Amino acid sequence: MQLIDRFLPHGTKYDFIRYRWFAFCITAVLIIGSFASIAIKGFNFGIDFAGGILLEAQSTTGPADLHGMRTTLGHLGLGEVSLQEFGTTGRDVMIRVQRQEGDEKTQMAALSKVKASLGEGFTYRRVEIVGPKVGGELVRDGVLAVVLALGAIALYVWFRFEWQFGVGALVSTFHDVITTFGLFSITGLEFNLTTVAAILTIAGYSVNDTVVEYDRVRENLRKFKTMSLYDLLNLAVNETLARTILTVSTVFVTVLALLFVGGEVLRGFSIAMLWGLIIGTFSSIYVAMPMLIYFNLRTGKAAEEAEAEEAPTGGPAAP
């Protein structure tokens, strides 16, 4: 641990808050772009939300012939069928078939057609059938989970610190969540239940990073009663910089491993987490902290606590 500590910055005096307006411009572009993409392009919903049939097939005879498979499946009359190769061997193929009109028996019949048409040269590592009703309920529950998480985070920070900190944490976390939604909309990455799990994880990571910095701000408000808020916020960020770098680096390496060895199922989750690490660190420093400049913290609880510490503790003075 001491060896790692040697490479971490200590006693830095970087002026992070100086670039707040540039950061606010980046934030505005990211949020507006995310909303625009979501409204115009929407999401590439996975089977979890859109409904349909999904198979992960692996060729047992060598690299898969995507052109031949696409031609074969296209002649089945099952509607839209998409194939996507994944992995590094060229043998793994993700097959998506649109939901068929009818009940579960109809879906099972379509699944049997797909398997029969591909023949004995494939093994199936994953098979999913999701109906439209279930998909709609999952969309609703996913949105509700994200909204409730944001509300709970804001209340937690509000009660632990002051309302100014609660507003800053809420805006910062909302920024991280909406830009992650935007990432999936713009890139067309599959949006499924693992993506929702990643977004909730990002929200938790982001607020944890913000709370650590806010805790240092509150401590410094009591310690440096005459320091300007601008300098105090810079001091707080610099004092927690080593911790931030260590945390981000550790999680980054772990998520990178998931991206490369976790397979197609965890690909969306891993990409979302990598984005969340970057955008979450950015928002904690350049969104949550600079926002406090525009709130008069010196008139809040911190000032009351400081006045209480300075007040004499003895009895009334003698006349």
Side-chain angles (χ1 to χ4, degrees), residues 42-98:
F43 295 102
N44 174 26
F45 285 119
I47 296 296
D48 296 333
F49 296 132
I53 303 171
L54 180 144
L55 302 92
E56 280 188 11
Q58 185 177 71
S59 172
T60 59
T61 59
D65 179 10
L66 288 185
H67 178 72
M69 292 174 64
R70 192 172 286 113
T71 302
T72 301
L73 295 178
H75 291 158
L76 296 179
L78 298 177
E80 182 180 350
V81 179
S82 66
L83 285 80
Q84 178 183 352
E85 183 180 302
F86 66 94
T88 58
T89 63
R91 298 166 56 196
D92 298 304
V93 182
M94 181 86 71
I95 304 171
R96 294 181 178 87
V97 182
Q98 75 174 50

Side-chain angles (χ1 to χ4, degrees), residues 3 34 84 91 109 128 185 208 219-220 222 293 307 309:
L3 180 62
S34 296
Q84 178 183 352
R91 298 166 56 196
E128 293 183 13
S185 176
N208 177 70
E219 179 182 329
N220 288 343
R222 300 168 182 167
I293 291 180
E307 291 175 2
E309 291 176 2

Side-chain angles (χ1 to χ4, degrees), residues 8-247:
L8 296 175
H10 297 284
T12 57
K13 297 182 180 180
Y14 300 125
D15 189 355
F16 290 99
I17 308 303
R18 174 184 178 184
Y19 302 102
R20 63 188 183 279
W21 286 110
F22 178 69
F24 287 162
C25 289
I26 295 177
T27 296
V29 169
L30 289 174
I31 291 178
I32 293 172
S34 296
F35 274 121
S37 180
I38 293 169
I40 297 171
K41 187 178 178 182
F43 295 102
N44 174 26
F45 285 119
I47 296 296
D48 296 333
F49 296 132
I53 303 171
L54 180 144
L55 302 92
E56 280 188 11
Q58 185 177 71
S59 172
T60 59
T61 59
D65 179 10
L66 288 185
H67 178 72
M69 292 174 64
R70 192 172 286 113
T71 302
T72 301
L73 295 178
H75 291 158
L76 296 179
L78 298 177
E80 182 180 350
V81 179
S82 66
L83 285 80
Q84 178 183 352
E85 183 180 302
F86 66 94
T88 58
T89 63
R91 298 166 56 196
D92 298 304
V93 182
M94 181 86 71
I95 304 171
R96 294 181 178 87
V97 182
Q98 75 174 50
R99 178 167 178 80
Q100 308 300 301
E101 294 294 334
D103 56 13
E104 185 176 350
K105 291 182 179 179
T106 307
Q107 313 309 316
M108 294 302 296
L111 176 60
S112 298
K113 279 186 178 181
V114 171
K115 289 184 176 181
S117 66
L118 293 178
E120 300 293 331
F122 289 89
T123 58
Y124 300 94
R125 302 164 58 186
R126 175 186 174 198
V127 177
E128 293 183 13
I129 300 176
V130 179
K133 182 178 179 181
V134 175
E137 291 175 352
L138 290 175
V139 171
R140 182 195 63 198
D141 293 344
V143 172
L144 182 62
V146 173
V147 171
L148 290 178
L150 290 176
I153 286 170
L155 286 174
Y156 164 74
V157 178
W158 191 330
F159 282 110
R160 176 168 176 176
F161 299 97
E162 301 179 44
W163 69 265
Q164 297 98 324
F165 293 94
V167 172
L170 180 61
V171 172
S172 172
T173 308
F174 173 79
H175 164 272
D176 301 339
V177 169
I178 197 62
T179 54
T180 305
F181 277 118
L183 172 70
F184 276 79
S185 176
I186 292 170
T187 61
L189 288 168
E190 182 178 311
F191 193 95
N192 50 34
L193 284 177
T194 59
T195 307
V196 176
I199 289 173
L200 293 175
T201 306
I202 289 169
Y205 170 83
S206 176
V207 76
N208 177 70
D209 203 30
T210 301
V211 164
V212 169
E213 294 182 1
Y214 275 179
D215 196 51
R216 188 57 58 92
V217 170
R218 184 173 61 175
E219 179 182 329
N220 288 343
L221 280 170
R222 300 168 182 167
K223 188 184 299 183
F224 306 104
K225 301 178 178 63
T226 60
M227 181 182 291
S228 70
L229 190 57
Y230 180 99
D231 293 334
L232 190 142
L233 294 178
N234 266 323
L235 178 62
V237 176
N238 279 284
E239 287 179 338
T240 57
L241 185 60
R243 177 261 174 201
T244 299
I245 293 175
L246 183 60
T247 303

